Amino acid sequence: MEARMKAIIVRRPGFAEPEEGADGRPPAPGRVRVRVRYAGVGWADVMAVRGGYPLAPRRPFSPGYEFYGTVEEAGDPGGAGRSGGGFAPGTRVLGLLPRMGAYREFVDVDARLAAPVPDSVGDETAALLPLNYLTAFALITRLAALEKGQSFFIHGAAGGVGTAALELARILGLKAYGTASIEKHCLVSSLGGLPLARKEDSWMGELARSEPGGVDAAFDSFGVPSFRKSWKILKPGGILACYGLAPSLNGGPRDFLAGLLWAGAKNIMAGGKRVRICSVPGLMARDPLWFRPSLERILAWAASGALNPVSAGIHEWRRVAEAHRELAEGRMRGKLLLDFSR
Ligand SMILES: NC(=O)c1ccc[n+]([C@@H]2O[C@H](COP(=O)([O-])OP(=O)(O)OC[C@H]3O[C@@H](n4cnc5c(N)ncnc54)[C@H](OP(=O)(O)O)[C@@H]3O)[C@@H](O)[C@H]2O)c1
């Protein structure tokens, strides 16, 4: 008899609906089948459901880039460098799917895109790590290549990527500034960041008073109007790393194109500053060897207790609409998870 699988499927714009359907295929060579316990909820998921995320798969699709769970079955190793057989059933793993599809009870994933979770890292902690910490790690260590003592600014500092960036800043000895709504400033401070008010751009003046020469890097995901301001607060030689291109969750291809064109133009007449575009799924495709060691470094920090990712709560998988509403209303602090075990 075929297994029944829980999944969130988008069949029409604006609706991510819980379904239970058939799924019984064994994993192909070099791949593993993972029973998902938690899938992370991110900004891109909500955009993809609404229809404005150019990197979303064609409908019908399941949103979600990241998963945490246990290996159900491993395919044959599948050739040199591939290790589908390297995971024993029951191994706790986390990972990313480069083209979404993680909002489901079982995922079939390239074994190179999953990493085993050390015993000392709890289930929820592990589930909070993949996308946000890899994004923050890429921004800090790869795109801006910051070194101890340098400074950065980030928008949404109390959100998923923002809190991850603040935690990594503390470990790497960086000075971090970030905007957040006033009621989230305590969280930003508790993570070692210097909170700034987003309202009416007062953050720009506050930042200029603390860093008159500008910051070494700015991390911004909110589109061209926001990039223009982040560009101004960079010191000469500074880097603006854009890790999202839409000002709102309703963004669409036009925002993405505008962001790419703006970045290209700035780099032609940069005057010492540079713009870089960061996409973790893109990095995974371009440089697969970057992914696993980066994730393992993050997991090692988590295992040593140096990382304590901020949880915005766990929703039972059927309550996906409520989870997305929470994200859209900006109420979240840290990261929200969907639980597929209930
Ligand atoms: N490049 C990649 O590979 C990658 C990977 C993961 C995420 N991302 C991107 O990272 C961004 C943040 O994702 P997330 O999951 O961390 O989101 P999140 O947890 O929902 O946090 C976002 C927070 O940013 C603030 N914000 C909203 N609109 C803003 C604006 N126009 N200007 C400044 N701040 C604003 C809000 O907090 P306050 O109201 O407190 O300010 C909001 O809660 C998204 O654009 C997402 O697509 C990119």
Side-chain angles (χ1 to χ4, degrees):
M1 202 178 78
E2 273 196 324
R4 304 289 289 172
M5 178 174 70
K6 304 165 190 165
I8 310 285
I9 307 289
V10 181
R11 295 189 184 278
R12 52 195 172 123
F15 294 88
E17 285 163 324
E19 294 184 6
E20 290 193 51
D23 186 275
R25 282 169 297 146
R31 301 183 72 83
V32 283
R33 181 173 163 84
V34 176
R35 178 186 286 271
V36 174
R37 169 88 191 266
Y38 298 124
V41 174
W43 179 281
D45 305 343
V46 180
M47 279 184 81
V49 172
R50 292 185 180 187
Y53 185 57
L55 304 181
R58 276 166 181 257
R59 286 187 294 272
F61 71 93
S62 176
Y65 274 120
E66 54 189 332
F67 63 85
Y68 162 79
T70 48
V71 171
E72 188 81 357
E73 195 179 342
D76 293 333
R82 310 196 70 152
S83 63
F87 289 115
T91 306
R92 297 189 311 138
V93 290
L94 54 72
L96 288 180
L97 302 177
R99 300 219 55 236
M100 298 194 145
Y103 281 17
R104 22 187 352 131
E105 190 181 6
F106 293 101
V107 292
D108 181 315
V109 58
D110 184 326
R112 294 170 299 180
L113 301 182
V117 177
D119 290 344
S120 58
V121 179
D123 297 338
E124 189 183 348
T125 299
L128 293 167
L129 294 173
L131 184 62
N132 290 341
Y133 282 77
L134 269 179
T135 306
F137 186 75
L139 290 169
I140 291 172
T141 66
R142 190 167 163 136
L143 284 105
L146 293 178
E147 289 175 4
K148 196 171 176 178
Q150 289 192 296
S151 58
F152 71 79
F153 162 81
I154 187 164
H155 271 308
V161 177
T163 52
L166 297 182
E167 284 230 288
L168 294 183
R170 195 171 48 192
I171 292 174
L172 298 169
L174 304 167
K175 199 165 176 187
Y177 297 87
T179 58
S181 310
I182 295 291
E183 64 276 14
K184 302 178 193 167
H185 278 201
C186 283
L187 172 61
V188 175
S189 308
S190 72
L191 295 172
L194 293 136
L196 302 168
R198 173 151 74 94
K199 220 173 156 200
E200 287 155 16
D201 293 339
S202 59
W203 64 273
M204 294 183 80
E206 286 178 55
L207 189 58
R209 280 190 287 282
S210 302
E211 298 283 341
V215 286
D216 294 290
F219 305 140
D220 193 333
S221 63
F222 295 107
V224 175
S226 188
F227 299 162
R228 287 201 181 99
K229 294 170 197 162
S230 294
W231 180 258
K232 286 189 188 155
I233 52 108
L234 289 176
K235 63 169 59 160
I239 289 180
L240 169 61
C242 305
Y243 61 107
L245 297 167
S248 80
L249 287 161
N250 296 321
R254 222 184 298 173
D255 288 324
F256 279 68
L257 187 62
L260 294 175
L261 292 174
W262 184 86
K266 277 289 173 208
N267 281 336
I268 292 171
M269 30 175 215
K273 303 180 195 177
R274 275 160 299 156
V275 189
R276 297 210 164 129
I277 305 286
C278 171
S279 155
V280 166
L283 255 176
M284 287 162 65
R286 273 199 315 280
D287 186 0
L289 295 179
W290 168 83
F291 174 76
R292 189 70 173 264
S294 304
L295 202 48
E296 282 168 358
R297 199 151 164 220
I298 290 163
L299 279 164
W301 279 322
S304 72
L307 291 181
N308 293 292
V310 181
S311 170
I314 301 176
H315 282 291
E316 193 240 335
W317 69 284
R318 285 185 196 82
R319 293 174 58 206
V320 59
E322 195 178 322
H324 281 195
R325 204 173 312 121
E326 245 175 71
L327 186 146
E329 288 169 4
R331 284 187 272 139
M332 277 168 38
R333 294 152 202 244
K335 183 155 198 89
L336 202 54
L337 300 173
L338 292 176
D339 183 350
F340 282 83
S341 70
R342 290 189 262 165

